[in-house]
DNA sequence: ATTCGAATATTTTAGATAAATAGTCGATTC
DNA sequence: GAATCGACTATTTATCTAAAATATTCGAAT
Protein backbone atom coordinates (compact mmCIF):
# COMPACT_ATOMS: atom_id res chain seq x y z
CA UNK A 1 0.00 0.00 0.00
CA UNK A 2 2.97 2.32 0.64
CA UNK A 3 4.03 3.09 -2.89
CA UNK A 4 6.93 5.31 -3.81
CA UNK A 5 6.29 8.09 -6.26
CA UNK A 6 8.18 6.30 -9.01
CA UNK A 7 6.58 2.96 -8.37
CA UNK A 8 3.15 4.49 -8.79
CA UNK A 9 4.32 6.21 -11.96
CA UNK A 10 5.42 2.89 -13.37
CA UNK A 11 2.19 1.18 -12.35
CA UNK A 12 0.12 3.82 -14.09
CA UNK A 13 2.23 3.69 -17.22
CA UNK A 14 2.02 -0.09 -17.20
CA UNK A 15 -1.74 -0.02 -16.70
CA UNK A 16 -2.17 2.13 -19.78
CA UNK A 17 0.15 -0.03 -21.84
CA UNK A 18 -1.27 -3.36 -20.71
CA UNK A 19 -4.83 -2.36 -21.33
CA UNK A 20 -3.88 -1.19 -24.80
CA UNK A 21 -1.71 -4.08 -25.95
CA UNK A 22 -2.47 -6.89 -23.48
CA UNK A 23 0.01 -8.68 -21.30
CA UNK A 24 1.95 -10.60 -23.86
CA UNK A 25 2.36 -7.86 -26.45
CA UNK A 26 3.53 -5.33 -23.90
CA UNK A 27 7.30 -5.27 -23.53
CA UNK A 28 9.26 -4.05 -20.56
CA UNK A 29 10.71 -1.44 -22.90
CA UNK A 30 7.20 -0.21 -23.69
CA UNK A 31 6.44 0.21 -20.02
CA UNK A 32 9.77 1.83 -19.27
CA UNK A 33 9.35 4.26 -22.14
CA UNK A 34 5.80 5.13 -21.08
CA UNK A 35 7.05 5.74 -17.57
CA UNK A 36 10.00 7.79 -18.82
CA UNK A 37 12.52 5.43 -17.29
CA UNK A 38 15.20 3.05 -18.44
CA UNK A 39 14.15 -0.54 -18.74
CA UNK A 40 16.52 -1.77 -16.10
CA UNK A 41 15.04 0.64 -13.58
CA UNK A 42 11.84 -1.34 -13.60
CA UNK A 43 13.73 -4.21 -12.04
CA UNK A 44 14.62 -2.05 -9.12
CA UNK A 45 10.94 -1.91 -8.22
CA UNK A 46 9.59 -5.16 -9.59
CA UNK A 47 10.80 -8.70 -9.73
CA UNK A 48 9.62 -9.29 -13.29
CA UNK A 49 6.89 -8.62 -15.80
CA UNK A 50 4.28 -10.69 -13.99
CA UNK A 51 5.08 -8.80 -10.85
CA UNK A 52 4.38 -5.53 -12.64
CA UNK A 53 1.08 -6.88 -13.87
CA UNK A 54 0.12 -8.04 -10.42
CA UNK A 55 0.86 -4.59 -9.06
CA UNK A 56 -1.32 -3.05 -11.75
CA UNK A 57 -4.18 -5.41 -10.96
CA UNK A 58 -3.88 -4.76 -7.25
CA UNK A 59 -3.82 -1.06 -7.84
CA UNK A 60 -6.93 -1.22 -10.00
CA UNK A 61 -8.64 -3.31 -7.36
CA UNK A 62 -7.76 -0.77 -4.67
CA UNK A 63 -9.22 2.05 -6.73
CA UNK A 64 -12.36 0.08 -7.44
CA UNK A 65 -12.73 -0.85 -3.79
CA UNK A 66 -12.49 2.77 -2.71
CA UNK A 67 -15.03 3.75 -5.33
CA UNK A 68 -17.38 1.03 -4.15
CA UNK A 69 -17.03 1.85 -0.48
CA UNK A 70 -17.68 5.50 -1.16
CA UNK A 71 -20.73 4.66 -3.19
CA UNK A 72 -22.15 2.11 -0.78
CA UNK A 73 -21.88 4.20 2.36
CA UNK A 74 -24.11 6.82 0.75
CA UNK A 75 -26.87 4.24 0.49
CA UNK A 76 -29.04 3.10 3.37
CA UNK A 77 -31.18 0.22 2.23
CA UNK A 78 -29.45 -3.10 1.66
CA UNK A 79 -31.62 -3.68 -1.40
CA UNK A 80 -30.21 -0.57 -3.03
CA UNK A 81 -26.69 -1.35 -1.88
CA UNK A 82 -26.77 -4.72 -3.56
CA UNK A 83 -28.22 -3.30 -6.74
CA UNK A 84 -25.58 -0.59 -6.82
CA UNK A 85 -22.79 -2.99 -6.10
CA UNK A 86 -23.74 -5.31 -8.93
CA UNK A 87 -24.23 -2.52 -11.40
CA UNK A 88 -20.96 -0.83 -10.49
CA UNK A 89 -19.12 -4.10 -10.73
CA UNK A 90 -20.49 -4.80 -14.16
CA UNK A 91 -19.75 -1.37 -15.52
CA UNK A 92 -16.23 -1.53 -14.24
CA UNK A 93 -15.79 -4.94 -15.73
CA UNK A 94 -17.02 -3.76 -19.10
CA UNK A 95 -14.70 -0.77 -18.97
CA UNK A 96 -11.56 -2.45 -17.70
CA UNK A 97 -12.37 -5.78 -19.24
CA UNK A 98 -9.77 -5.24 -21.91
CA UNK A 99 -7.07 -5.24 -19.31
CA UNK A 100 -8.02 -8.68 -18.14
CA UNK A 101 -9.19 -10.20 -21.37
CA UNK A 102 -6.42 -8.72 -23.45
CA UNK A 103 -4.06 -11.09 -21.75
CA UNK A 104 -6.18 -13.82 -23.21
CA UNK A 105 -3.56 -14.67 -25.72
CA UNK A 106 -4.42 -18.03 -24.37
CA UNK A 107 -7.26 -17.02 -22.13
CA UNK A 108 -7.79 -19.35 -19.22
CA UNK A 109 -4.33 -20.56 -19.97
CA UNK A 110 -1.15 -21.09 -18.08
CA UNK A 111 -1.32 -17.83 -16.17
CA UNK A 112 -1.59 -19.24 -12.72
CA UNK A 113 -0.69 -15.85 -11.36
CA UNK A 114 -3.86 -14.45 -12.85
CA UNK A 115 -5.84 -17.11 -11.03
CA UNK A 116 -4.20 -15.94 -7.85
CA UNK A 117 -5.19 -12.32 -8.41
CA UNK A 118 -8.69 -13.30 -9.42
CA UNK A 119 -9.18 -15.52 -6.40
CA UNK A 120 -8.02 -12.79 -4.08
CA UNK A 121 -10.44 -10.39 -5.60
CA UNK A 122 -13.30 -12.85 -5.44
CA UNK A 123 -12.70 -13.29 -1.75
CA UNK A 124 -13.09 -9.56 -1.36
CA UNK A 125 -16.27 -9.60 -3.42
CA UNK A 126 -17.78 -12.40 -1.40
CA UNK A 127 -17.01 -10.36 1.69
CA UNK A 128 -18.76 -7.26 0.38
CA UNK A 129 -21.86 -9.13 -0.72
CA UNK A 130 -22.03 -11.09 2.51
CA UNK A 131 -21.78 -7.83 4.43
CA UNK A 132 -24.61 -6.29 2.45
CA UNK A 133 -26.74 -9.37 3.01
CA UNK A 134 -25.96 -9.25 6.72
CA UNK A 135 -27.03 -5.62 6.94
CA UNK A 136 -30.21 -6.46 5.07
CA UNK A 137 -31.00 -9.28 7.44
CA UNK A 138 -30.42 -7.12 10.48
CA UNK A 139 -32.57 -4.41 8.89
CA UNK A 140 -35.34 -6.89 8.39
CA UNK A 141 -35.14 -6.33 4.64
CA UNK A 142 -33.91 -9.84 3.86
CA UNK A 143 -34.81 -13.26 5.05
CA UNK A 144 -32.25 -14.81 7.40
CA UNK A 145 -30.20 -16.70 4.82
CA UNK A 146 -26.65 -17.99 5.14
CA UNK A 147 -24.87 -14.86 3.98
CA UNK A 148 -21.68 -16.53 2.81
CA UNK A 149 -23.35 -19.27 0.90
CA UNK A 150 -25.93 -17.00 -0.67
CA UNK A 151 -23.24 -14.47 -1.44
CA UNK A 152 -21.27 -17.07 -3.35
CA UNK A 153 -24.36 -18.07 -5.25
CA UNK A 154 -25.05 -14.48 -6.28
CA UNK A 155 -21.46 -14.02 -7.34
CA UNK A 156 -21.54 -17.14 -9.48
CA UNK A 157 -24.57 -15.77 -11.31
CA UNK A 158 -22.72 -12.53 -11.93
CA UNK A 159 -19.97 -14.48 -13.62
CA UNK A 160 -22.53 -15.62 -16.16
CA UNK A 161 -22.97 -11.98 -17.06
CA UNK A 162 -19.26 -11.47 -17.51
CA UNK A 163 -19.02 -14.04 -20.27
CA UNK A 164 -20.86 -12.02 -22.92
CA UNK A 165 -18.92 -8.94 -21.84
CA UNK A 166 -15.69 -10.72 -22.57
CA UNK A 167 -16.39 -12.26 -25.93
CA UNK A 168 -18.69 -10.79 -28.49
CA UNK A 169 -19.52 -7.23 -29.20
CA UNK A 170 -21.65 -6.76 -26.16
CA UNK A 171 -24.48 -4.36 -25.62
CA UNK A 172 -23.83 -3.07 -22.13
CA UNK A 173 -27.26 -1.56 -22.04
CA UNK A 174 -28.93 -4.84 -22.85
CA UNK A 175 -26.84 -6.53 -20.17
CA UNK A 176 -27.83 -3.96 -17.59
CA UNK A 177 -31.48 -4.47 -18.34
CA UNK A 178 -31.05 -8.21 -18.01
CA UNK A 179 -29.08 -7.92 -14.80
CA UNK A 180 -31.73 -5.72 -13.25
CA UNK A 181 -34.25 -8.37 -14.12
CA UNK A 182 -32.13 -10.89 -12.24
CA UNK A 183 -31.72 -8.62 -9.26
CA UNK A 184 -35.47 -8.22 -9.03
CA UNK A 185 -35.83 -11.96 -9.16
CA UNK A 186 -33.29 -12.22 -6.36
CA UNK A 187 -35.25 -9.75 -4.27
CA UNK A 188 -38.84 -10.57 -4.90
CA UNK A 189 -38.85 -14.03 -6.42
CA UNK A 190 -40.89 -15.41 -9.25
CA UNK A 191 -43.50 -17.04 -7.10
CA UNK A 192 -46.75 -15.39 -6.27
CA UNK B 1 -33.22 -36.56 -38.20
CA UNK B 2 -33.47 -39.40 -40.74
CA UNK B 3 -30.13 -41.09 -40.23
CA UNK B 4 -28.97 -44.13 -42.12
CA UNK B 5 -27.70 -47.03 -40.09
CA UNK B 6 -24.11 -46.35 -41.09
CA UNK B 7 -24.32 -42.64 -40.48
CA UNK B 8 -25.48 -43.26 -36.93
CA UNK B 9 -22.69 -45.77 -36.49
CA UNK B 10 -20.15 -43.19 -37.52
CA UNK B 11 -21.68 -40.54 -35.28
CA UNK B 12 -21.49 -42.83 -32.29
CA UNK B 13 -17.92 -43.83 -33.04
CA UNK B 14 -17.02 -40.18 -33.51
CA UNK B 15 -18.72 -39.18 -30.26
CA UNK B 16 -16.65 -41.70 -28.33
CA UNK B 17 -13.44 -40.63 -30.02
CA UNK B 18 -14.05 -36.90 -29.74
CA UNK B 19 -14.92 -37.06 -26.08
CA UNK B 20 -11.79 -39.05 -25.43
CA UNK B 21 -9.26 -37.07 -27.45
CA UNK B 22 -11.00 -33.77 -28.17
CA UNK B 23 -11.70 -32.29 -31.56
CA UNK B 24 -8.21 -31.44 -32.66
CA UNK B 25 -6.47 -34.62 -31.61
CA UNK B 26 -9.07 -36.83 -33.23
CA UNK B 27 -8.20 -37.77 -36.80
CA UNK B 28 -10.57 -38.88 -39.49
CA UNK B 29 -8.66 -42.14 -39.50
CA UNK B 30 -9.39 -42.58 -35.80
CA UNK B 31 -13.09 -42.11 -36.39
CA UNK B 32 -13.11 -44.37 -39.42
CA UNK B 33 -11.28 -47.10 -37.55
CA UNK B 34 -13.61 -46.83 -34.57
CA UNK B 35 -16.56 -47.08 -36.93
CA UNK B 36 -15.00 -50.02 -38.76
CA UNK B 37 -14.92 -48.17 -42.07
CA UNK B 38 -12.37 -46.78 -44.44
CA UNK B 39 -11.53 -43.12 -44.04
CA UNK B 40 -12.86 -42.14 -47.43
CA UNK B 41 -16.24 -43.59 -46.58
CA UNK B 42 -16.73 -40.88 -44.01
CA UNK B 43 -16.74 -38.36 -46.79
CA UNK B 44 -19.66 -40.12 -48.37
CA UNK B 45 -21.73 -39.11 -45.34
CA UNK B 46 -20.05 -35.94 -44.16
CA UNK B 47 -18.56 -32.93 -45.82
CA UNK B 48 -15.58 -32.68 -43.49
CA UNK B 49 -14.40 -33.08 -39.92
CA UNK B 50 -16.34 -30.10 -38.62
CA UNK B 51 -19.43 -31.53 -40.21
CA UNK B 52 -18.91 -34.77 -38.31
CA UNK B 53 -18.51 -32.86 -35.07
CA UNK B 54 -21.64 -30.87 -35.73
CA UNK B 55 -23.56 -34.09 -36.32
CA UNK B 56 -22.25 -35.48 -33.04
CA UNK B 57 -23.27 -32.35 -31.17
CA UNK B 58 -26.71 -32.34 -32.74
CA UNK B 59 -27.17 -35.97 -31.92
CA UNK B 60 -26.19 -35.42 -28.30
CA UNK B 61 -28.58 -32.48 -28.15
CA UNK B 62 -31.41 -34.61 -29.51
CA UNK B 63 -30.81 -37.26 -26.90
CA UNK B 64 -30.68 -34.68 -24.15
CA UNK B 65 -33.85 -33.03 -25.41
CA UNK B 66 -35.73 -36.32 -25.38
CA UNK B 67 -34.48 -37.02 -21.90
CA UNK B 68 -35.59 -33.59 -20.73
CA UNK B 69 -39.02 -33.78 -22.33
CA UNK B 70 -39.61 -37.18 -20.81
CA UNK B 71 -38.59 -35.92 -17.41
CA UNK B 72 -40.56 -32.68 -17.55
CA UNK B 73 -43.85 -34.15 -18.63
CA UNK B 74 -43.86 -36.30 -15.52
CA UNK B 75 -43.88 -33.14 -13.41
CA UNK B 76 -46.90 -30.96 -12.79
CA UNK B 77 -45.82 -27.85 -10.98
CA UNK B 78 -43.80 -25.28 -12.91
CA UNK B 79 -41.62 -24.70 -9.89
CA UNK B 80 -40.51 -28.31 -9.93
CA UNK B 81 -40.18 -28.35 -13.70
CA UNK B 82 -37.75 -25.45 -13.58
CA UNK B 83 -35.77 -26.97 -10.76
CA UNK B 84 -35.55 -30.27 -12.62
CA UNK B 85 -34.59 -28.65 -15.84
CA UNK B 86 -31.75 -26.71 -14.31
CA UNK B 87 -30.43 -29.67 -12.38
CA UNK B 88 -30.61 -31.99 -15.38
CA UNK B 89 -28.89 -29.46 -17.53
CA UNK B 90 -26.06 -29.04 -15.08
CA UNK B 91 -25.53 -32.74 -14.58
CA UNK B 92 -25.46 -33.34 -18.29
CA UNK B 93 -23.03 -30.52 -18.74
CA UNK B 94 -20.74 -31.92 -16.09
CA UNK B 95 -20.90 -35.35 -17.67
CA UNK B 96 -20.51 -34.41 -21.31
CA UNK B 97 -18.43 -31.37 -20.60
CA UNK B 98 -15.32 -33.11 -21.80
CA UNK B 99 -16.76 -33.35 -25.25
CA UNK B 100 -17.12 -29.61 -25.51
CA UNK B 101 -14.22 -28.47 -23.42
CA UNK B 102 -11.81 -31.00 -24.81
CA UNK B 103 -11.83 -29.03 -28.00
CA UNK B 104 -10.46 -26.18 -25.95
CA UNK B 105 -7.09 -26.51 -27.51
CA UNK B 106 -7.65 -22.83 -27.77
CA UNK B 107 -10.95 -22.62 -25.99
CA UNK B 108 -13.09 -19.71 -27.08
CA UNK B 109 -10.92 -19.70 -30.14
CA UNK B 110 -11.45 -19.64 -33.83
CA UNK B 111 -14.13 -22.30 -33.85
CA UNK B 112 -16.96 -20.25 -35.19
CA UNK B 113 -18.82 -23.44 -35.97
CA UNK B 114 -18.93 -24.21 -32.27
CA UNK B 115 -20.50 -20.85 -31.67
CA UNK B 116 -23.15 -21.78 -34.20
CA UNK B 117 -23.96 -25.03 -32.46
CA UNK B 118 -24.00 -23.37 -29.09
CA UNK B 119 -26.26 -20.58 -30.24
CA UNK B 120 -28.69 -23.05 -31.73
CA UNK B 121 -28.82 -24.95 -28.52
CA UNK B 122 -29.26 -21.82 -26.45
CA UNK B 123 -32.26 -20.89 -28.53
CA UNK B 124 -33.77 -24.24 -27.66
CA UNK B 125 -32.99 -23.71 -24.00
CA UNK B 126 -34.55 -20.27 -23.95
CA UNK B 127 -37.62 -21.84 -25.48
CA UNK B 128 -37.90 -24.52 -22.83
CA UNK B 129 -37.44 -22.13 -19.95
CA UNK B 130 -39.88 -19.62 -21.42
CA UNK B 131 -42.41 -22.41 -21.80
CA UNK B 132 -42.02 -23.46 -18.18
CA UNK B 133 -42.40 -19.86 -17.05
CA UNK B 134 -45.50 -19.51 -19.20
CA UNK B 135 -47.04 -22.60 -17.64
CA UNK B 136 -46.20 -21.27 -14.20
CA UNK B 137 -47.84 -17.96 -14.94
CA UNK B 138 -50.98 -19.59 -16.26
CA UNK B 139 -51.00 -21.84 -13.20
CA UNK B 140 -50.83 -18.84 -10.98
CA UNK B 141 -47.53 -20.10 -9.57
CA UNK B 142 -45.46 -17.29 -11.02
CA UNK B 143 -45.89 -13.58 -11.31
CA UNK B 144 -46.70 -12.38 -14.83
CA UNK B 145 -43.16 -11.65 -16.01
CA UNK B 146 -41.88 -11.35 -19.57
CA UNK B 147 -41.11 -15.02 -20.13
CA UNK B 148 -38.51 -14.52 -22.87
CA UNK B 149 -36.60 -11.83 -21.11
CA UNK B 150 -36.70 -13.55 -17.75
CA UNK B 151 -35.80 -16.84 -19.41
CA UNK B 152 -32.70 -15.28 -20.90
CA UNK B 153 -31.75 -13.83 -17.55
CA UNK B 154 -32.05 -17.21 -15.87
CA UNK B 155 -30.00 -18.84 -18.60
CA UNK B 156 -27.25 -16.26 -18.25
CA UNK B 157 -27.01 -17.05 -14.56
CA UNK B 158 -26.71 -20.73 -15.37
CA UNK B 159 -23.72 -19.97 -17.53
CA UNK B 160 -21.99 -18.65 -14.45
CA UNK B 161 -22.32 -22.14 -13.02
CA UNK B 162 -20.80 -23.72 -16.09
CA UNK B 163 -17.53 -21.87 -15.71
CA UNK B 164 -16.30 -23.75 -12.64
CA UNK B 165 -17.47 -26.99 -14.24
CA UNK B 166 -15.23 -26.34 -17.19
CA UNK B 167 -12.03 -25.31 -15.50
CA UNK B 168 -10.92 -26.54 -12.14
CA UNK B 169 -11.50 -29.81 -10.45
CA UNK B 170 -15.09 -29.13 -9.64
CA UNK B 171 -17.20 -30.52 -6.88
CA UNK B 172 -20.49 -31.26 -8.60
CA UNK B 173 -22.16 -31.72 -5.27
CA UNK B 174 -21.08 -28.31 -4.05
CA UNK B 175 -22.33 -26.79 -7.31
CA UNK B 176 -25.70 -28.47 -6.96
CA UNK B 177 -26.12 -27.12 -3.46
CA UNK B 178 -25.26 -23.66 -4.67
CA UNK B 179 -27.54 -23.87 -7.66
CA UNK B 180 -30.43 -24.94 -5.49
CA UNK B 181 -29.78 -21.90 -3.36
CA UNK B 182 -30.07 -19.75 -6.47
CA UNK B 183 -33.25 -21.46 -7.58
CA UNK B 184 -34.83 -20.76 -4.23
CA UNK B 185 -33.81 -17.16 -4.56
CA UNK B 186 -35.40 -17.09 -7.99
CA UNK B 187 -38.61 -18.51 -6.60
CA UNK B 188 -39.03 -16.86 -3.26
CA UNK B 189 -36.74 -13.87 -3.30
CA UNK B 190 -34.49 -12.53 -0.59
CA UNK B 191 -36.86 -9.87 0.61
CA UNK B 192 -39.15 -10.38 3.54
C1' DA C 1 18.81 4.86 -2.73
C1' DT C 2 18.14 5.27 -7.85
C1' DT C 3 19.17 5.03 -12.47
C1' DC C 4 20.86 3.14 -16.48
C1' DG C 5 24.09 1.19 -20.25
C1' DA C 6 26.02 -2.87 -21.48
C1' DA C 7 26.08 -7.82 -21.24
C1' DT C 8 23.75 -12.30 -20.82
C1' DA C 9 19.83 -15.42 -20.82
C1' DT C 10 15.59 -16.66 -22.45
C1' DT C 11 11.77 -16.60 -25.65
C1' DT C 12 9.82 -15.76 -29.96
C1' DT C 13 10.02 -15.60 -34.91
C1' DA C 14 11.18 -17.06 -39.62
C1' DG C 15 12.26 -20.09 -42.97
C1' DA C 16 12.74 -24.51 -44.82
C1' DT C 17 11.83 -29.55 -44.76
C1' DA C 18 9.67 -33.65 -43.36
C1' DA C 19 5.69 -35.96 -41.51
C1' DA C 20 0.84 -36.28 -40.50
C1' DT C 21 -3.61 -35.56 -41.73
C1' DA C 22 -7.56 -33.80 -44.50
C1' DG C 23 -9.97 -34.25 -48.37
C1' DT C 24 -10.68 -35.97 -53.64
C1' DC C 25 -11.57 -39.23 -57.23
C1' DG C 26 -12.16 -43.06 -59.97
C1' DA C 27 -12.54 -47.96 -59.75
C1' DT C 28 -15.05 -51.69 -57.52
C1' DT C 29 -18.65 -54.12 -55.07
C1' DC C 30 -23.17 -54.95 -53.59
C1' DG D 1 -27.53 -46.42 -58.09
C1' DA D 2 -25.87 -46.58 -53.18
C1' DA D 3 -21.85 -47.62 -50.60
C1' DT D 4 -17.02 -48.60 -49.99
C1' DC D 5 -12.35 -48.07 -50.36
C1' DG D 6 -7.38 -47.63 -52.10
C1' DA D 7 -4.41 -44.59 -54.12
C1' DC D 8 -3.58 -39.83 -54.91
C1' DT D 9 -3.18 -34.74 -53.91
C1' DA D 10 -3.61 -30.72 -50.91
C1' DT D 11 -3.22 -28.76 -46.39
C1' DT D 12 -1.82 -28.49 -41.98
C1' DT D 13 1.17 -29.50 -38.33
C1' DA D 14 5.71 -30.84 -36.30
C1' DT D 15 10.69 -30.30 -36.29
C1' DC D 16 14.79 -28.09 -36.73
C1' DT D 17 17.91 -24.16 -36.94
C1' DA D 18 19.54 -19.59 -36.94
C1' DA D 19 18.39 -14.89 -36.27
C1' DA D 20 15.91 -11.42 -33.84
C1' DA D 21 13.37 -9.72 -30.03
C1' DT D 22 12.74 -9.46 -25.37
C1' DA D 23 13.50 -10.39 -20.39
C1' DT D 24 16.56 -10.22 -16.80
C1' DT D 25 21.13 -9.33 -14.43
C1' DC D 26 24.99 -6.62 -13.01
C1' DG D 27 28.12 -3.24 -11.98
C1' DA D 28 29.35 1.46 -12.68
C1' DA D 29 27.65 6.19 -12.19
C1' DT D 30 24.69 9.63 -9.93
Amino acid sequence: MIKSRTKLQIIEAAAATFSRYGFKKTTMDDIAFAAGKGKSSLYYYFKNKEDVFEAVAEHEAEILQLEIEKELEKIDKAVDKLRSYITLRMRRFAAKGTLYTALSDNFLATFSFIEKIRNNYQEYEKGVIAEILQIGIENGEFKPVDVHFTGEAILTCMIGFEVPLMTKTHDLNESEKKINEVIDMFFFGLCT
Side-chain angles (χ1 to χ4, degrees), chain A:
Chain A
M1 201 47 182
I2 313 113
K3 282 165 194 157
S4 84
R5 175 96 194 81
T6 318
K7 194 164 184 177
L8 197 62
Q9 219 171 289
I10 295 170
I11 287 175
E12 277 162 3
T17 317
F18 279 135
S19 66
R20 180 137 181 215
Y21 299 121
F23 180 77
K24 209 174 163 187
K25 284 280 187 190
T26 298
T27 73
M28 292 299 265
D29 259 324
D30 290 339
I31 298 171
F33 181 79
K37 298 275 160 172
K39 183 173 53 161
S40 15
S41 302
L42 301 193
Y43 290 90
Y44 183 72
Y45 297 96
F46 301 97
K47 210 172 91 241
N48 53 34
K49 195 169 150 185
E50 294 189 2
D51 196 31
V52 177
F53 188 89
E54 256 178 73
V56 169
E58 266 166 37
H59 186 242
E60 294 287 334
E62 275 164 25
I63 291 172
L64 177 55
Q65 284 171 23
L66 280 177
E67 220 175 288
I68 286 172
E69 273 171 43
K70 220 180 80 188
E71 193 66 30
L72 289 188
E73 72 186 10
K74 289 193 299 196
I75 300 173
D76 280 329
K77 285 170 58 178
V79 173
D80 297 326
K81 274 181 202 273
L82 190 57
R83 195 185 296 274
S84 273
Y85 178 72
I86 290 172
T87 306
L88 234 99
R89 175 189 197 281
M90 188 159 95
R91 288 201 188 133
R92 173 53 65 125
F93 190 91
K96 292 278 171 174
T98 27
L99 208 161
Y100 301 99
T101 57
L103 52 72
S104 316
D105 289 297
N106 34 359
F107 190 59
L108 277 178
T110 45
F111 292 106
S112 59
F113 76 103
I114 290 297
E115 273 307 298
K116 209 184 80 193
I117 295 170
R118 237 193 123 67
N119 281 345
N120 275 356
Y121 192 67
Q122 278 207 3
E123 283 309 311
Y124 164 77
E125 292 207 277
K126 281 182 206 167
V128 174
I129 297 178
E131 212 179 306
I132 296 175
L133 290 175
Q134 187 61 48
I135 292 171
I137 291 170
E138 284 165 11
N139 267 354
E141 288 179 70
F142 294 151
K143 296 169 185 165
V145 293
D146 175 330
V147 294
H148 293 289
F149 195 61
T150 305
E152 267 189 55
I154 291 176
L155 198 53
T156 304
C157 288
M158 294 307 107
I159 289 168
F161 282 88
E162 286 176 10
V163 174
L165 293 181
M166 282 174 64
T167 54
K168 352 194 160 191
T169 47
H170 56 269
D171 180 350
L172 183 59
N173 214 278
E174 184 65 24
S175 287
E176 290 212 9
K177 261 180 62 190
K178 212 190 286 178
I179 217 165
N180 271 313
E181 179 77 12
V182 171
I183 296 173
D184 281 331
M185 243 192 300
F186 283 163
F187 288 156
F188 308 114
L190 284 168
C191 291
T192 47

